[in-house]
Amino acid sequence: AKQSGRNTYRFFTAQMNVDAIARRELEVALRFALEHDEFVLHYQPKVDLVSGKIEGFEALLRWERPGHGLLFPGAFIPALEETGLIVLVGKWVIGEACRQIGVWMRGGIGPVRVAVNVSGRQFVEGDLYGNVTQAIHRNAIRSDLLELEITESSLMENTELTVAILQNLRKAGVTVSIDDFGTGYSSLAYLRRFPINKLKIDMSFIRDVTSNVDDASIVLAIISMAHSLHLQVVAEGVETAEQLRYLREHECDQMQGYYFSRPVPATGVEQMLYDGKQL
Ligand code: C2E
Ligand code: CA
Ligand code: CA
Ligand code: CA
């Protein structure tokens, strides 16, 4: 019994080591990736539902990992969040988006609005305000061309600190959006406290909006609530003409989704703007 007990113990220890080693290897690879420029941003257009024109782009992180191809956030954002590396990578994302805005501005493409995703940890552990203002000044860009997307759930943690930082960022001219809205049970009264410009309706409500009456009523309630607070509303994950028609009819302001375009590299943005692509 003593012997088998010891073996069981050894078995679990070995398994735990395998997991710990895999996690450690990923962390090392992510640090290396940051230092060796393996991260890239892809951009997905946001389209105005009245004019049909591209209003701006959301920057989405990709990892060009040697020997592994192009990796999507689902494969590495959880590890970045767990290790706290998201604070450094998030700073890189802000710098890279501002660099690209400056390149487009001075390269004859013109002013392009870019939204970046911000992790809750960047508010608490990073110098988000410093990172943003420094990136804007270094690249000599207009601050209103940069937008920050923060999820409803991270806004609800560390609310006081987050609100104070967002207030300063708004004063600096940056646009603020609430991402994945509808999943975090925020009330109207609660929302009024936040210095925000836009709500992005979570794509889980858009998927069946034309067939599921509950999803449709949630979407309509979010649109009317947002408009009564003078906020713009963006629907994400729009994949069909039916979803698009529904959102237009119900006065949603902007859409984003595969129906119009998947996220594309920077050269794809240039092509889209050159072609004058619209809805
Ligand atoms: P998100 O911010 O909600 O971004 C939207 C995600 O939906 C993106 O996935 C986008 O490619 C995908 N998407 C866009 N249109 C459609 C559509 O019509 N149908 C479907 N099914 N999906 C669509 P992606 O690029 O894999 O990013 C996943 C998540 O990773 C993002 O969700 C965001 O939470 C996170 N993320 C991405 N980049 C960053 C970043 O730079 N920093 C941080 N902290 N998080 C990031
Ligand atoms: Ca987002
Ligand atoms: Ca979202
Ligand atoms: Ca999401």
Side-chain angles (χ1 to χ4, degrees):
K2 214 173 187 181
Q3 189 61 37
S4 96
R6 203 177 296 148
N7 282 341
T8 308
Y9 178 71
R10 214 180 290 141
F11 170 78
F12 281 117
T13 310
Q15 186 55 47
M16 274 155 54
N17 282 340
V18 169
D19 293 345
I21 289 164
R23 235 181 294 129
R24 179 70 193 144
E25 268 170 11
L26 182 58
E27 184 182 342
V28 169
L30 285 166
R31 276 188 199 281
F32 186 91
L34 186 58
E35 283 157 22
H36 295 81
D37 245 18
E38 293 175 6
F39 289 115
V40 287
L41 295 180
H42 281 193
Y43 300 87
Q44 186 180 41
K46 298 182 184 182
V47 188
D48 185 286
L49 285 171
V50 175
S51 70
K53 290 187 179 143
I54 294 174
E55 183 270 343
F57 294 82
E58 176 177 3
L60 294 153
L61 189 61
R62 303 288 181 258
W63 180 12
E64 287 176 339
R65 188 177 184 189
H68 292 77
L70 187 69
L71 299 186
F72 286 71
F76 60 88
I77 292 263
L80 290 177
E81 288 279 358
E82 269 173 44
T83 55
L85 279 172
I86 194 67
V87 176
L88 286 176
V89 174
K91 181 182 176 187
W92 177 85
V93 169
I94 291 164
E96 173 60 12
C98 291
R99 187 196 64 79
Q100 189 59 258
I101 293 170
V103 166
W104 283 329
M105 191 74 218
R106 286 181 281 279
I109 307 277
V112 181
R113 300 176 50 82
V114 175
V116 299
N117 291 286
V118 178
S119 158
R121 289 189 74 151
Q122 288 176 261
F123 285 88
V124 183
E125 292 160 55
D127 175 15
L128 183 64
Y129 181 81
N131 294 165
V132 168
T133 50
Q134 197 178 61
I136 287 170
H137 290 131
R138 268 205 192 133
N139 294 284
I141 62 162
R142 269 166 41 194
S143 59
D144 64 301
L145 295 178
L146 184 70
E147 181 174 324
L148 303 181
E149 295 191 3
I150 166 167
T151 63
E152 186 187 14
S153 50
S154 63
L155 197 57
M156 289 167 75
E157 293 161 23
N158 302 296
T159 302
E160 298 308 317
L161 174 67
T162 304
V163 168
I165 295 169
L166 289 179
Q167 253 149 7
N168 288 332
L169 287 165
R170 292 277 295 109
K171 276 185 209 139
V174 172
T175 307
V176 179
S177 296
I178 299 197
D179 205 354
D180 300 348
F181 190 77
T183 57
Y185 314 100
S186 303
S187 69
L188 181 113
Y190 200 68
L191 267 186
R192 286 184 56 244
R193 305 175 48 206
F194 299 118
I196 53 174
N197 307 88
K198 280 189 198 175
L199 288 189
K200 297 186 74 178
I201 306 175
D202 192 69
M203 67 176 83
S204 61
F205 300 109
I206 304 301
R207 195 172 303 128
D208 300 320
V209 74
T210 58
S211 58
N212 181 306
V213 286
D214 293 336
D215 289 348
S217 16
I218 291 167
V219 168
L220 296 186
I222 294 174
I223 294 172
S224 81
M225 175 185 79
H227 285 166
S228 72
L229 290 170
H230 308 290
L231 301 175
Q232 286 205 298
V233 194
V234 186
E236 48 177 28
V238 178
E239 296 184 351
T240 70
E242 291 69 39
Q243 292 167 338
L244 175 68
R245 193 176 326 112
Y246 186 92
L247 293 162
R248 257 189 173 145
E249 269 168 20
H250 295 94
E251 292 175 333
C252 182
D253 302 295
Q254 292 167 22
M255 67 78 86
Q256 200 183 337
Y258 296 167
Y259 180 78
F260 186 80
S261 172
R262 287 185 177 258
V264 295
T267 51
V269 170
E270 291 154 19
Q271 189 64 50
M272 232 182 268
L273 295 174
Y274 180 80
D275 293 344
K277 183 175 161 84
Q278 63 182 89
L279 257 183

